[in-house]
Short mmCIF file of all heavy atoms in Angstrom, two decimals:
data_model
loop_
_atom_site.label_atom_id
_atom_site.label_comp_id
_atom_site.label_asym_id
_atom_site.label_seq_id
_atom_site.Cartn_x
_atom_site.Cartn_y
_atom_site.Cartn_z
N HIS A 441 63.00 236.05 50.53
CA HIS A 441 63.94 236.80 49.68
C HIS A 441 63.60 238.28 49.67
O HIS A 441 62.43 238.64 49.77
CB HIS A 441 64.01 236.22 48.27
CG HIS A 441 62.77 236.39 47.43
ND1 HIS A 441 62.53 237.50 46.66
CD2 HIS A 441 61.71 235.58 47.23
CE1 HIS A 441 61.38 237.36 46.02
NE2 HIS A 441 60.84 236.20 46.35
N ASP A 443 64.90 240.65 47.28
CA ASP A 443 64.90 241.30 45.96
C ASP A 443 63.50 241.22 45.34
O ASP A 443 62.71 240.34 45.68
CB ASP A 443 65.89 240.60 45.01
CG ASP A 443 65.47 239.16 44.67
OD1 ASP A 443 65.25 238.38 45.62
OD2 ASP A 443 65.34 238.84 43.48
N ALA A 452 54.06 241.80 48.32
CA ALA A 452 53.73 240.43 48.72
C ALA A 452 54.92 239.52 48.47
O ALA A 452 55.32 238.73 49.34
CB ALA A 452 52.52 239.95 47.93
N ASP A 453 55.50 239.66 47.29
CA ASP A 453 56.58 238.78 46.82
C ASP A 453 57.91 239.53 46.81
O ASP A 453 58.25 240.15 45.83
CB ASP A 453 56.23 238.27 45.42
CG ASP A 453 57.31 237.39 44.82
OD1 ASP A 453 58.16 236.89 45.57
OD2 ASP A 453 57.29 237.21 43.58
N ASP A 454 58.70 239.55 47.86
CA ASP A 454 58.50 238.76 49.04
C ASP A 454 58.80 239.61 50.28
O ASP A 454 59.34 239.13 51.26
CB ASP A 454 59.41 237.53 48.98
CG ASP A 454 59.08 236.49 50.04
OD1 ASP A 454 57.99 236.49 50.57
OD2 ASP A 454 59.97 235.69 50.34
N GLU A 486 66.42 235.96 44.06
CA GLU A 486 65.47 234.83 43.89
C GLU A 486 64.78 234.96 42.55
O GLU A 486 64.57 233.98 41.83
CB GLU A 486 64.45 234.83 45.04
CG GLU A 486 63.60 233.57 45.15
CD GLU A 486 62.34 233.59 44.30
OE1 GLU A 486 61.96 234.64 43.75
OE2 GLU A 486 61.71 232.54 44.15
N GLU A 487 64.42 236.20 42.23
CA GLU A 487 63.65 236.44 40.99
C GLU A 487 64.47 236.20 39.72
O GLU A 487 63.93 236.04 38.64
CB GLU A 487 63.10 237.87 40.99
CG GLU A 487 62.21 238.22 42.19
CD GLU A 487 60.86 237.51 42.16
OE1 GLU A 487 60.64 236.67 41.26
OE2 GLU A 487 60.03 237.79 43.04
N LEU A 512 58.99 231.40 53.31
CA LEU A 512 57.77 232.17 53.06
C LEU A 512 57.82 232.77 51.65
O LEU A 512 58.78 233.43 51.28
CB LEU A 512 57.61 233.30 54.07
CG LEU A 512 57.44 232.95 55.54
CD1 LEU A 512 57.20 234.21 56.36
CD2 LEU A 512 56.29 231.98 55.76
N GLU A 513 56.74 232.55 50.88
CA GLU A 513 56.67 233.06 49.52
C GLU A 513 55.28 233.61 49.21
O GLU A 513 54.36 233.45 50.03
CB GLU A 513 57.01 231.93 48.52
CG GLU A 513 58.44 232.00 48.03
CD GLU A 513 58.76 233.21 47.15
OE1 GLU A 513 57.84 233.99 46.82
OE2 GLU A 513 59.93 233.38 46.79
N ALA A 514 55.11 234.20 48.03
CA ALA A 514 53.81 234.74 47.64
C ALA A 514 53.65 234.69 46.13
O ALA A 514 54.62 234.83 45.39
CB ALA A 514 53.67 236.17 48.12
N ARG A 515 52.41 234.48 45.72
CA ARG A 515 52.08 234.45 44.30
C ARG A 515 50.73 235.11 44.10
O ARG A 515 49.85 234.61 43.43
CB ARG A 515 51.99 232.98 43.86
CG ARG A 515 52.54 232.72 42.51
CD ARG A 515 52.46 231.25 42.19
NE ARG A 515 51.96 231.04 40.85
CZ ARG A 515 52.64 231.28 39.75
NH1 ARG A 515 53.87 231.71 39.82
NH2 ARG A 515 52.10 231.10 38.58
N ASP A 560 59.24 227.58 40.96
CA ASP A 560 60.25 227.23 41.94
C ASP A 560 60.31 228.31 43.00
O ASP A 560 59.96 229.45 42.74
CB ASP A 560 61.63 227.10 41.27
CG ASP A 560 61.84 225.71 40.69
OD1 ASP A 560 61.68 224.75 41.44
OD2 ASP A 560 62.15 225.61 39.49
N THR A 561 60.73 227.93 44.17
CA THR A 561 61.06 228.91 45.20
C THR A 561 62.43 228.53 45.75
O THR A 561 62.98 227.49 45.40
CB THR A 561 60.05 228.90 46.37
OG1 THR A 561 60.25 227.69 47.13
CG2 THR A 561 58.60 228.94 45.88
N TYR A 585 50.71 239.57 41.00
CA TYR A 585 51.98 238.83 41.06
C TYR A 585 52.92 239.34 39.97
O TYR A 585 52.53 239.45 38.81
CB TYR A 585 51.67 237.34 40.88
CG TYR A 585 52.88 236.44 40.82
CD1 TYR A 585 53.78 236.36 41.88
CD2 TYR A 585 53.12 235.64 39.71
CE1 TYR A 585 54.86 235.52 41.84
CE2 TYR A 585 54.22 234.79 39.65
CZ TYR A 585 55.08 234.72 40.73
OH TYR A 585 56.15 233.89 40.68
N HIS A 586 54.14 239.68 40.35
CA HIS A 586 55.14 240.20 39.41
C HIS A 586 54.57 241.36 38.59
O HIS A 586 54.73 241.44 37.38
CB HIS A 586 55.64 239.09 38.48
CG HIS A 586 56.48 238.08 39.20
ND1 HIS A 586 56.90 236.90 38.63
CD2 HIS A 586 57.02 238.09 40.44
CE1 HIS A 586 57.63 236.23 39.50
NE2 HIS A 586 57.71 236.93 40.60
ZN1 ZN B 1944 59.16 235.28 45.42
#
Side-chain angles (χ1 to χ4, degrees):
H441 68 88
D443 66 306
D453 178 17
D454 191 20
E486 192 273 350
E487 302 290 5
L512 296 184
E513 261 292 355
R515 218 178 135 73
D560 275 306
T561 71
Y585 176 60
H586 290 171

